[in-house]
Amino acid sequence: MFMVIGDVLDKQEVADLRAAADAIEFQDGRATAGRYARDVKSNLQAKPSADLDEILASVRKTLFRNELFRSVARPRKIARSLLSRYGPGMEYGFHVDDPIMKGSRTDLSFTLYLSEPEEYEGGGLVIDDVLEERVIRLQAGDMVLYPTSALHRVEPVTTGERVAVVGWVTSWVRDAAKREVLHDLDVATRSIFDEHGKTPAFDRLFKAKSNLYRMWADG
């Protein structure tokens, strides 16, 4: 399952992060690619720096404040994040992201867009689904969250520039089907509470959700 989360960043936050991104130095993205992805990767990634650390820390704080992200991902940590840039002729061929990054399991990947779709042509994120390839191009400030196990690629950018923060989430609940159940229960409990308040039915459902989370969460 993948999910689009809209308005993770507001317009001012996007502008601030984009200005900060424009002020730092980038390098060949192949430096961070795995052995088999290196040959199909052609992009730029921000060089390590204090300024980059500040950008990525700001994104992490924003994500952990986002209710929908917390419900869908059950994030234990952001295992790794990068700031990427694609100019004309750059792309990233089909690949699967590494299962372990910096000593942590990767369960979910995300792309948080800092460029508006009209700023560039091409550059769609293509996720290989069971039935079809899904091409994703979002507004700046929106994010797509998808299983790290998915085969995916970034289409060639033909004009303009595509800038995004990409990252990988270690979830408290490694099983995607269980995360989906917990998210559905979040939606149901919130709906019951908003409509009827704290009723006995709400208490029972909230208890079941909490105990399933406790049962399924990694130590």
Side-chain angles (χ1 to χ4, degrees), residues 91-103:
E91 63 179 308
Y92 198 164
F94 269 127
H95 63 285
V96 174
D97 294 332
D98 290 342
I100 304 293
M101 295 186 186
K102 294 188 174 181

Side-chain angles (χ1 to χ4, degrees), residues 109-127:
S109 303
F110 68 82
T111 299
L112 174 61
Y113 289 78
L114 299 183
S115 298
E116 296 291 357
E118 60 267 22
E119 292 180 43
Y120 61 97
E121 294 291 335
L125 173 64
V126 181
I127 300 174

Side-chain angles (χ1 to χ4, degrees), residues 169-187:
V169 180
T170 303
S171 177
W172 281 106
V173 179
R174 72 170 66 196
D175 187 283
K178 292 175 180 176
R179 289 197 302 269
E180 185 174 356
V181 168
L182 290 171
H183 173 59
D184 287 343
L185 289 171
D186 271 349
V187 173

Side-chain angles (χ1 to χ4, degrees), residues 126-151:
V126 181
I127 300 174
D128 187 35
D129 203 350
V130 175
L131 298 178
E132 62 182 352
E133 291 184 356
R134 299 175 183 266
V135 182
I136 300 166
R137 283 171 51 92
L138 302 178
Q139 300 293 320
D142 294 350
M143 181 178 80
V144 59
L145 188 66
Y146 58 96
T148 303
S149 57
L151 195 63

Side-chain angles (χ1 to χ4, degrees), residues 10-135:
D10 63 30
K11 291 185 182 299
Q12 187 58 56
E13 289 170 325
V14 170
D16 290 344
L17 287 178
R18 185 65 183 274
D22 289 342
I24 61 179
E25 189 175 353
F26 282 71
Q27 63 184 358
D28 190 330
R30 288 176 295 182
T32 58
R35 175 184 176 187
Y36 300 110
R38 195 170 297 123
D39 290 342
V40 297
K41 185 175 186 180
S42 173
N43 71 352
L44 298 174
Q45 284 171 189
K47 293 183 68 173
S49 68
D51 290 336
L52 174 62
D53 290 342
E54 188 173 336
I55 291 171
L56 299 180
S58 174
V59 169
R60 286 195 296 272
K61 289 178 183 177
T62 299
L63 290 179
F64 275 87
R65 289 196 302 265
N66 187 283
E67 185 176 17
L68 182 54
F69 172 76
R70 294 198 311 270
S71 178
V72 173
R74 304 284 158 176
R76 186 170 189 168
K77 65 165 73 170
I78 305 297
R80 190 183 191 188
S81 53
L82 301 168
L83 177 62
S84 72
R85 173 174 282 163
Y86 290 78
M90 294 183 180
E91 63 179 308
Y92 198 164
F94 269 127
H95 63 285
V96 174
D97 294 332
D98 290 342
I100 304 293
M101 295 186 186
K102 294 188 174 181
S104 296
R105 187 186 70 246
T106 54
D107 299 306
L108 292 159
S109 303
F110 68 82
T111 299
L112 174 61
Y113 289 78
L114 299 183
S115 298
E116 296 291 357
E118 60 267 22
E119 292 180 43
Y120 61 97
E121 294 291 335
L125 173 64
V126 181
I127 300 174
D128 187 35
D129 203 350
V130 175
L131 298 178
E132 62 182 352
E133 291 184 356
R134 299 175 183 266
V135 182

